[in-house]
Amino acid sequence: MNSDLEKMQQPNTSAPSDHAAQGIVLGIDIGGTFTDYVAYDKDAKTATAWKYFSNAEDPAAGIFDGLKEYQQLDRIVKIRLGTTIATNAILERNGAVVGYIATKNFTDVPHIGRGDRKGIYDAFWVKPESLVNRKNCFGVSERISSEGDTLVDLNEAELRTVARQIREQSNIEVIAVNFLFSYISPKHEQRAKEILEEEAPGIPVSISYDVLPKWKEFERSSTTIADAYVKPIVNDRLPKIIEKIGQLVPRADVAIMKSNGGETTVGLACQQPVQLLLSGPSGGVVATQHVSKANGFDRVMTFDMGGTSSDCAICIEGDVNLTTDFEVEWGLPVQIPMVDVRTIGAGGGSIAWVDNGGMLQVGPRSAGSTPGPACYGRGGTEATVTDANVVLSRIDHNNFLGGKVTLDLEAARSAIGVIADQLGLSIEQTAKAIIDIANNNVASELRRMAVENGHDPRNFSLMGFGGAGPVHVADLMRLLNIKSGTVPVFPGQFSAFGFTCADARIDSQRTVQMRSGSLDFDRLNDVAASLRNTVTEEFSRQGYANGVEIKLYVDLRYEGQNYELSVPFGFDRFDQDNMEALRNDFDTEFDEKYGFCLPGEPIEIVNLSVTGVVAQPKPDIEASLGETTSEPKTHREVWFEGGSVKAPIYDRARLPVGVQIHGPAVIEEDVSTVPINAGQSVERQPSGVLVIKEIQEV
C-alpha cells in the first residue's frame, strides 16, 4: 500500500529547552486498522504525518514497512511508541496461562468478583471469565492484619511446594501473587517473589504490591492477574518491535507510551506491562491538552474515532482527568492510573447487522484492518460505517489518502445492499441509517461521560479526530446541541502527534485508610515521603535527574460512601491546619460534581497518590500558508440530513485563515474529510485547526 505524507511548516520563535536534543521526534501509534506516524523536526520546525496499514499478524513488520516511507530516518533522535499489544491480548483472550497464589482460603476472589451485574434485569447475562483458570489458583498460609501486623508467618515450605507444582505443570507461563493486606505490609509478597524465582526460574512473577498497592481485594487481584496475563506476550513482542525499529533508526532513543499519558523505558514497560493498556488512546488526550492550551479552548470534549472504536475524553482548561476506575470489559477491572477515556465499539470499521427483531444495529464487532470495510478491496464483504460514508459520498472514493488509494464504491454499495434488502430500504437510506446509529452510539457515550463528571455537554466544544472522527463531528454537534466543534491538524494521526508532545510521567499510589477523627499524621507523612521517593527513583532509572515536578493527591470520601474524590494537596506535610484546608477543598469539589456537600460530616482518607512529571519540549504547530483560495476545487453529490445535495468541495490545505465556509459543504484533506451541514460554518484558524460553528440560517 502507498502511504500518505503531508507536511506543515511550523514557525516557532521560542528557543528549545537546553535538554532537548535537536533532530526529529517521531510518534508511532499502532492502531487496529492503520499505524500512524508523525515526525516533528525541531531544526526545521516542520512536521510530517503518514499512515500505513497495520499488520495484525506481525506488528513489527508493519511498523518497519511504514517507517521505510520516511526519507530522513537518519535524523530521528527520539521515538515514542504507543502499542495495543497488552490491550489486544486481553480483549482477544490470547495472553499467558497464569498461576495465581493467594492467602489460603482466598483463592476464589478473582472468580467471585462483585455481586452486581451489567444488566440488572438481563437473565441471559454471563459473567466474564477471569483471566486465570480456577485449577491454577493456589493458597499458602500467611496473614497480615489490617494494621500491618503479622498474624501468621509466611509458610515458606508450603510456598516451595506450590512453586514446584507450578513448575511441574509446565503449562503455567507466569505467576501472580496477591496476599491479604499486602498494600500495608508487603514483606510476605516480596519474600514470596524471591522464593518463586528460586524454585521456578524463568517464570515471570507479578506481585500486587508492585502492580496495585491499594485496597479492594477483587480489584487488586484482577489488576495483578492482568499484569501477569500480558507480561510474557509483551516481553516477547515489544523487544522484537524495538529491534526491528533499530534496524532502520539505530541512533534513536525509544520510549513507550503509558496509559497515564507519560512515557517510560522499554525495560520498565516490560516489568509492568499492565501500564500499557491505554497506551494508544492516551496520545490523543495529550495532543488535546497541547492544542487546547495553544488555541485557548477552555472546555473540550473529544472523540477519537478510528477503525475499531471511539475513545471519548474531557479536557478542561488544558487538564484531563486521571482515573483508576477502568474495566477492560464489564466486570474485569484494571485499576492502574490512566487518562479518563471511555471506549465504545463504534468506529469506521464497525459492522452493520440486522438483529432477530429486524432492527438495524451497528457494532461493536469490527472489520478491523483485515479484511477491513468492503470498500478497501481487501476481502471484506460486510457493511461498515466507512462503506456507508463512501456510498453517501461523504468520503470520496477517488480521493482516499490523498488519492493514493482508490476505494471500491461498488463493493461498498453491494455490502450496504445486503442490509438494505433486509430492511426494505434503498441503499442510500440504509447507509444514512447506519451513520445515524453510529453517531447516536457515540453521542450517548459523550453525554454520559459529561453528566457523570458533573458537566453539561452543551457547555463544551467538540473535537473530533482519528481517521473517522472529522467525518462525524458536525453531526454529533447537532445531536449534543453543542455550538462549536474543532478538527485539529493531523486529525488522522492525532494520537501519534500527541506522542511528540508527551511528558515523562510517573504515578504512584497507596491505600492509607483513616477517619478524620483519628488521623495518624506520622503515617501519612511517611507514606507520602515513600511515594515521592519511588517516583524520584524511577525517574532516575529513566535518565531524568532534573526538572521533576511532584504533586500529591488525597482520595477522600464522606464516611459510609463507597467511592472517593481525588483532591490535590498543596502542602509539604500533613498536620491539623493543612487537613482543614484539604477538607474545605473536598467539600468544594464534591459540591461542584454532585450539586451538594456535607460540611462537618466525618470524612475518610482512602488513598495517597503522587504524580511526577518531567516536562518535555512541545511542537508549536502553526501552518504556513501557501496559495490559498476560498473557492471550491469541485462539486459533487453528497448526502446530508435532508438528502442529496450538489455540495462544494474544499481543499483544507488551501483554505485562507479567517474565511467562513457555509454548509452544506465538504472540507477534504489527505487523511480525513469534514462534511459541514446546512446551518453550520467552518473557519480555518492561524494554528491550522478548523472551527465549526452553528449559525442562523439565512
Side-chain angles (χ1 to χ4, degrees):
M1 173 197 135
N2 292 324
S3 69
D4 165 68
L5 293 171
E6 56 176 340
K7 182 175 287 185
M8 301 185 72
Q9 303 299 319
Q10 301 149 42
N12 184 355
T13 58
S14 62
S17 302
D18 292 338
H19 63 280
Q22 295 303 292
I24 292 172
V25 177
L26 176 66
I28 304 176
D29 178 28
I30 309 171
T33 305
F34 289 100
T35 295
D36 299 331
Y37 306 79
V38 172
Y40 175 64
D41 188 334
K42 301 180 192 177
D43 301 312
K45 304 300 183 290
T46 61
T48 303
W50 70 102
K51 302 176 81 72
Y52 206 89
F53 274 122
S54 296
N55 187 330
E57 298 298 322
D58 188 354
I63 294 173
F64 186 83
D65 292 339
L67 271 176
K68 289 190 294 187
E69 296 286 325
Y70 192 52
Q71 302 302 313
Q72 300 188 66
L73 295 176
D74 60 322
R75 296 189 56 241
I76 296 175
V77 296
K78 179 83 173 183
I79 294 175
R80 294 193 180 106
L81 175 69
T83 173
T84 56
I85 294 174
T87 313
N88 292 342
I90 292 179
L91 292 177
E92 298 170 8
R93 288 296 202 273
N94 63 2
V97 178
V98 179
Y100 178 65
I101 300 176
T103 304
K104 185 171 259 185
N105 299 323
F106 288 86
T107 55
D108 278 338
V109 167
H111 306 282
I112 296 171
R114 302 193 190 105
D116 55 356
R117 54 173 51 218
K118 185 175 183 179
I120 190 170
Y121 298 114
D122 184 359
F124 298 98
W125 177 74
V126 178
K127 182 187 296 185
E129 290 287 335
S130 172
L131 299 178
V132 62
N133 194 305
R134 194 165 181 266
K135 70 179 182 180
N136 294 331
C137 296
F138 307 89
V140 296
S141 299
E142 69 83 39
R143 194 63 180 264
I144 299 291
S145 76
S146 61
E147 302 299 321
D149 301 321
T150 301
L151 301 179
V152 178
D153 288 326
L154 175 65
N155 190 324
E156 296 191 6
E158 192 175 9
L159 179 60
R160 291 182 186 278
T161 300
V162 169
R164 287 192 290 271
Q165 186 178 347
I166 288 174
R167 188 182 63 207
E168 291 165 3
Q169 273 189 231
S170 73
N171 68 318
I172 293 179
E173 303 168 87
V174 62
I175 301 171
V177 180
N178 179 38
F179 292 153
L180 289 180
F181 298 108
S182 62
Y183 57 87
I184 298 175
S185 175
K187 60 184 180 181
H188 285 178
E189 281 194 355
Q190 292 170 340
R191 177 57 183 152
K193 185 175 182 180
E194 294 174 355
I195 292 172
L196 291 168
E197 289 173 345
E198 293 172 9
E199 296 289 343
I203 300 180
V205 179
S206 295
I207 64 173
S208 72
Y209 184 77
D210 290 342
V211 177
L212 186 70
K214 292 175 62 178
W215 74 326
K216 296 187 178 179
E217 197 66 17
F218 170 57
E219 285 78 0
R220 191 156 54 91
S221 67
S222 177
T223 305
T224 306
I225 291 168
D227 183 75
Y229 186 75
V230 301
K231 185 169 285 184
I233 194 169
V234 169
N235 278 259
D236 175 60
R237 293 188 181 181
L238 191 56
K240 291 179 180 177
I241 291 174
I242 304 307
E243 180 183 1
K244 201 78 171 177
I245 291 173
Q247 294 175 15
L248 290 177
V249 280
R251 66 185 289 253
D253 175 32
V254 181
I256 309 300
M257 293 299 298
K258 297 192 297 183
S259 300
N260 66 359
E263 65 170 40
T264 188
T265 64
V266 176
L268 290 173
C270 289
Q271 287 178 27
Q272 283 197 23
V274 74
Q275 300 284 346
L276 309 183
L277 279 183
L278 283 188
S279 174
S282 69
V285 177
V286 171
T288 299
Q289 289 180 278
H290 175 61
V291 171
S292 296
K293 291 177 180 177
N295 290 272
F297 301 148
D298 293 333
R299 302 170 71 84
V300 179
M301 280 200 305
T302 73
F303 74 104
D304 175 3
M305 182 180 280
T308 305
S309 62
S310 290
D311 302 310
C312 309
I314 289 177
C315 180
I316 298 178
E317 296 180 352
D319 289 326
V320 296
N321 289 336
L322 206 70
T323 184
T324 57
D325 187 15
F326 176 78
E327 299 186 2
V328 178
E329 60 182 87
W330 201 96
L332 192 64
V334 178
Q335 294 201 341
I336 49 115
M338 58 181 65
V339 292
D340 191 1
V341 172
R342 311 290 180 90
T343 301
I344 60 171
S350 293
I351 293 171
W353 53 286
V354 178
D355 65 20
N356 292 334
M359 302 295 290
L360 178 63
Q361 306 286 341
V362 178
R365 193 163 61 92
S366 172
S369 60
T370 305
C375 62
Y376 281 10
R378 295 162 64 90
T381 58
E382 296 181 282
T384 68
V385 175
T386 296
D387 292 314
N389 278 308
V390 169
V391 165
L392 299 185
S393 199
R394 293 156 63 92
I395 296 175
D396 185 359
H397 69 283
N398 288 316
N399 191 40
F400 189 65
L401 295 184
K404 302 290 195 305
V405 175
T406 299
L407 299 178
D408 191 337
L409 175 60
E410 290 308 311
R413 290 185 62 85
S414 177
I416 300 289
V418 173
I419 304 295
D421 291 342
Q422 296 179 63
L423 298 175
L425 300 174
S426 70
I427 290 177
E428 289 75 16
Q429 288 172 326
T430 303
K432 185 62 170 63
I434 291 171
I435 292 171
D436 288 344
I437 291 174
N439 284 338
N440 275 281
N441 289 342
V442 177
S444 295
E445 187 59 38
L446 286 166
R447 187 180 294 109
R448 182 184 302 112
M449 178 182 63
V451 172
E452 286 179 356
N453 283 280
H455 304 300
D456 186 337
R458 295 172 295 182
N459 296 331
F460 285 77
S461 177
L462 181 64
M463 183 181 293
F465 50 88
V471 185
H472 297 265
V473 64
D475 291 341
L476 287 168
M477 287 170 56
R478 290 272 170 90
L479 287 173
L480 294 165
N481 198 20
I482 289 175
K483 301 305 179 185
S484 71
T486 304
V487 179
V489 295
F490 305 134
Q493 303 98 343
F494 201 53
S495 286
F497 170 63
F499 297 163
T500 70
C501 307
D503 296 323
R505 174 171 180 155
I506 296 170
D507 294 279
S508 186
Q509 54 190 331
R510 196 172 307 163
T511 293
V512 283
Q513 294 168 268
M514 294 184 192
R515 189 174 180 273
S516 56
S518 55
L519 295 175
D520 184 341
F521 291 118
D522 288 338
R523 185 178 170 216
L524 285 171
N525 288 314
D526 287 345
V527 172
S530 174
L531 291 172
R532 290 188 182 102
N533 289 337
T534 297
V535 169
T536 302
E537 290 170 2
E538 188 164 334
F539 270 130
S540 179
R541 288 197 296 271
Q542 294 185 27
Y544 296 106
N546 301 311
V548 179
E549 180 183 353
I550 292 181
K551 294 182 180 179
L552 176 64
Y553 297 85
V554 185
D555 292 351
L556 301 165
R557 65 183 188 181
Y558 292 117
E559 188 176 27
Q561 290 187 314
N562 199 37
Y563 297 96
E564 305 84 42
L565 279 181
S566 185
V567 180
F569 185 74
F571 305 96
D572 292 332
R573 292 185 60 80
F574 287 92
D575 58 38
Q576 191 60 50
D577 291 338
N578 293 342
M579 281 304 303
E580 289 298 323
L582 180 65
R583 167 60 192 259
N584 292 334
D585 291 342
F586 170 70
D587 287 337
T588 299
E589 290 208 17
F590 196 95
D591 185 58
E592 288 179 357
K593 184 165 186 176
Y594 298 109
F596 75 99
C597 63
L598 303 170
E601 286 293 312
I603 61 172
E604 294 176 331
I605 293 177
V606 179
N607 304 306
L608 297 187
S609 303
V610 166
T611 294
V613 175
V614 178
Q616 302 296 296
K618 305 292 188 293
D620 184 10
I621 298 294
E622 183 169 343
S624 66
L625 298 176
E627 181 182 352
T628 64
T629 177
S630 57
E631 295 299 315
K633 62 179 181 179
T634 187
H635 290 76
R636 72 168 182 265
E637 293 290 328
V638 181
W639 276 68
F640 291 90
E641 189 64 41
S644 180
V645 176
K646 192 166 187 178
I649 312 299
Y650 296 87
D651 185 347
R652 175 174 180 172
R654 302 185 66 195
L655 285 179
V657 171
V659 175
Q660 287 191 351
I661 304 298
H662 292 256
V666 177
I667 314 298
E668 289 186 340
E669 59 182 299
D670 286 348
V671 295
S672 69
T673 300
V674 189
I676 307 297
N677 296 306
Q680 294 176 328
S681 70
V682 62
E683 180 179 322
R684 185 182 186 182
Q685 303 297 302
S687 62
V689 303
L690 298 180
V691 174
I692 306 166
K693 292 185 178 179
E694 292 287 349
I695 59 175
Q696 295 293 326
E697 293 196 47
V698 179

